[in-house]
Amino acid sequence: MSSNAKIVLRKKPNCKGLYPLAIRITKNRRSTYRYVGHYIDIEDWDEKNIRVKKSHVNSDNLNSLLTQELSEANKALINLQSEHKDASAHQIKKELYGSSENSTFFELAQEHLDDLESLQKLNRLSCDKAWVGYILKFYKSKQLTFQEIDERFLKKFMLYCKINHKLSETSIMNIMVLVRLLYNRAIEQKIVNRELYPFGGNRVRIKFPETVKIGLNIQEIREIENLDNLTPSEFHARNVWLYSFNFAGMRVADVLRIRWSDINDNRLQYRMGKNSKLISIKIPQKALLILENYKADKRNEIDFIFPELKKANLTNPKDVFNKIKTANRKFNTHLKSIAKKAGITKKITMHIARHSFGNIAGDTIHPLMLQKLYRHSDLKTTLNYQANFIHKEADNALDSVVNF
């Protein structure tokens, strides 16, 4: 796919509420931005004609500057297309505008976020955008250079996150992973010397704390299945949770995207949202009974089974993402009251359906089969995940010593 350049007003205001003008360079649906150094009020921007309105005091000069910048970018792109057919948007930007050795941390962070948005990786975009926000709150300026991000800076930042924002150790480590990713990119682009790398060895080590994964047992799931004093919203939340559990803890985003056309010959065939894998799996009898509750609302074969995405704007990935996020939050609220009615003290969320399947599976199913059921790409992921629920050997070993 050919590359192109376009004048845009970025919808990210500065501290004065003004918006930056930029040249957007796109290649294969991935974009990067060259800021021209001028900010205007959003009311002074003509989106339809892509120019600064006459209402701005320097509209003529700004429009001349934008036209010149765009013309130079397009001329350079024409020359680059034959020489660098496989160049990325960022490589094209580098060719057009020279070295990026003065790029700041937040400039590379913004490029990273723009990439995630272009690739529609909205869940990660939401997380990484929040992580970048914590760094900006700590430093209080977007002029942070990579040379400033040393061991002392990172340790002070981690302490700040823990004390000022009460972030968990896992969240802090996730921010460190993002900083490390961007630092490595800065090294590749020769923005910072590799000798200043602040991670690993005796410097800052990224080590995630062990987490306890607790799932429901068979009796607890039966208690939930047998509840008959549920509100309509609780009844629906239970159905979605049990549906997820019956498919080895299918992720809520995949559950809500399932259509009636994905069901053929009592098999569910769908593409996972996380890694685009094609899945074909038998529909358990309990799941078939759940589906019966939704047939009356079926509009056509390509209709969604569950109602949450029926009114979503499917051409707008952000709208779909937000509706799934809202639905998950509502499900978790209702699952909390369901647990109370069932007399279950364990925390129940949509994700606990996956833990519950792992807890009941234990070590009774071969790891390769569990890998297939979990839809993991790597067997190591399955082994590490399932290790949280395998206690039999350790329990027997303990008994062999103390039961005398």
Side-chain angles (χ1 to χ4, degrees):
M1 183 183 291
S2 62
S3 52
N4 63 78
K6 182 181 179 180
I7 300 169
V8 296
L9 183 72
R10 298 286 283 143
K11 303 301 172 64
K12 301 180 185 298
N14 62 11
C15 60
K16 297 180 181 179
L18 300 177
Y19 295 77
L21 292 161
I23 303 297
R24 185 181 69 200
I25 301 165
T26 304
K27 175 69 178 289
N28 296 337
R29 295 187 295 177
R30 300 184 70 174
S31 299
T32 187
Y33 298 84
R34 163 74 173 185
Y35 293 88
V36 300
H38 291 274
Y39 291 75
I40 65 171
D41 193 293
I42 197 167
E43 298 297 328
D44 292 326
W45 179 245
D46 185 343
E47 185 70 34
K48 182 179 179 180
N49 296 306
I50 315 177
R51 60 187 291 108
V52 180
K53 293 180 181 178
K54 289 288 186 181
S55 56
H56 192 280
V57 65
N58 288 320
S59 60
D60 290 340
N61 290 334
L62 284 176
N63 285 325
S64 295
L65 173 64
L66 292 172
T67 300
Q68 181 181 344
E69 290 270 353
L70 183 63
S71 176
E72 291 176 356
N74 279 320
K75 285 180 183 177
L77 282 172
I78 292 172
N79 294 330
L80 284 171
Q81 281 179 6
S82 59
E83 299 174 13
H84 303 287
K85 292 182 179 179
D86 296 325
S88 68
H90 294 311
Q91 289 170 328
I92 291 173
K93 178 183 175 182
K94 187 175 180 180
E95 289 283 347
L96 292 180
Y97 301 112
S99 173
S100 58
E101 62 183 12
N102 294 320
S103 294
T104 67
F105 170 84
F106 288 106
E107 285 175 339
L108 254 66
Q110 188 58 57
E111 289 182 1
H112 168 70
L113 297 177
D114 290 338
D115 283 348
L116 293 178
E117 186 169 7
S118 298
L119 294 170
Q120 297 182 12
K121 295 184 177 181
L122 301 183
N123 193 41
R124 186 175 175 190
L125 172 64
S126 178
C127 293
D128 285 3
K129 193 172 183 179
W131 302 151
V132 172
Y134 283 113
I135 300 170
L136 182 57
K137 289 175 185 176
F138 171 71
Y139 190 69
K140 297 182 175 62
S141 169
K142 286 194 173 183
Q143 302 309 310
L144 174 63
T145 66
F146 282 93
Q147 287 78 4
E148 293 175 271
I149 304 175
D150 55 14
E151 183 181 358
R152 182 173 177 269
F153 175 93
L154 292 175
K155 287 184 175 180
K156 286 181 67 176
F157 171 69
M158 288 190 286
L159 189 61
Y160 163 82
C161 289
K162 187 173 184 178
I163 295 175
N164 292 61
H165 295 284
K166 311 298 186 219
L167 293 188
S168 68
E169 193 69 20
T170 298
S171 294
I172 295 172
M173 288 301 105
N174 279 322
I175 301 177
M176 290 297 102
V177 168
L178 176 60
V179 174
R180 184 178 63 186
L181 168 71
L182 296 176
Y183 208 105
N184 283 325
R185 287 187 182 179
I187 291 173
E188 290 173 5
Q189 296 179 30
K190 302 188 185 308
I191 297 171
V192 64
N193 194 302
R194 186 176 295 276
E195 293 178 358
L196 298 178
Y197 192 62
F199 297 99
N202 295 323
R203 298 181 177 180
V204 175
R205 297 185 64 186
I206 298 176
K207 186 177 181 181
F208 284 89
E210 291 188 14
T211 56
V212 178
K213 292 181 171 62
I214 299 176
L216 304 189
N217 56 41
I218 292 175
Q219 183 56 41
E220 289 166 332
I221 292 176
R222 283 176 176 163
E223 292 290 341
I224 291 175
E225 289 176 331
N226 294 330
L227 283 175
D228 57 7
N229 58 338
L230 301 178
T231 66
S233 294
E234 290 171 344
F235 179 76
H236 174 55
R238 178 180 67 176
N239 282 344
V240 175
W241 191 91
L242 289 173
Y243 190 87
S244 169
F245 168 77
N246 278 283
F247 285 102
M250 182 189 293
R251 294 176 178 87
V252 65
D254 289 334
V255 171
L256 297 182
R257 284 190 173 100
I258 297 298
R259 302 172 186 263
W260 290 104
S261 56
D262 295 325
I263 297 174
N264 293 287
D265 299 325
N266 283 347
R267 295 192 69 81
L268 177 62
Q269 297 169 317
Y270 72 101
R271 188 179 296 277
M272 286 180 64
K274 186 173 183 179
N275 55 22
S276 297
K277 278 188 174 182
L278 280 171
I279 304 297
S280 177
I281 189 169
K282 174 187 174 182
I283 302 178
Q285 183 61 34
K286 288 184 177 181
L288 288 172
L289 293 175
I290 291 172
L291 295 177
E292 290 295 323
N293 294 287
Y294 299 90
K295 284 187 175 179
D297 294 326
K298 178 181 175 181
R299 297 177 295 190
N300 50 57
E301 283 301 316
I302 63 170
D303 193 18
F304 292 105
I305 292 175
F306 299 109
E308 280 69 25
L309 295 183
K310 287 179 183 284
K311 294 183 179 180
N313 180 1
L314 302 181
T315 63
N316 184 348
K318 284 188 177 179
D319 184 56
V320 174
F321 172 77
N322 288 332
K323 280 185 167 56
I324 292 173
K325 189 175 181 180
T326 299
N328 187 54
R329 186 165 57 246
K330 288 181 178 179
F331 291 151
N332 289 340
T333 298
H334 295 310
L335 288 168
K336 186 176 181 180
S337 62
I338 289 171
K340 187 175 181 180
K341 288 182 178 181
I344 297 171
T345 57
K346 293 176 182 175
K347 182 180 179 181
I348 305 180
T349 65
M350 284 302 302
H351 191 65
I352 295 298
R354 196 169 185 83
H355 293 179
S356 300
F357 184 88
N359 185 46
I360 295 172
D363 59 357
T364 62
I365 301 176
H366 193 281
L368 288 174
M369 185 53 63
L370 278 174
Q371 179 190 4
K372 188 172 184 179
L373 291 172
Y374 284 139
R375 284 78 75 182
H376 286 155
S377 298
D378 192 340
L379 180 59
K380 288 182 180 179
T381 303
T382 303
L383 294 174
N384 290 336
Y385 182 85
Q386 201 60 19
N388 293 278
F389 309 109
I390 298 176
H391 311 295
K392 186 177 179 180
E393 288 186 3
D395 292 348
N396 289 342
L398 179 64
D399 285 341
S400 69
V401 175
V402 302
N403 290 341
F404 54 84

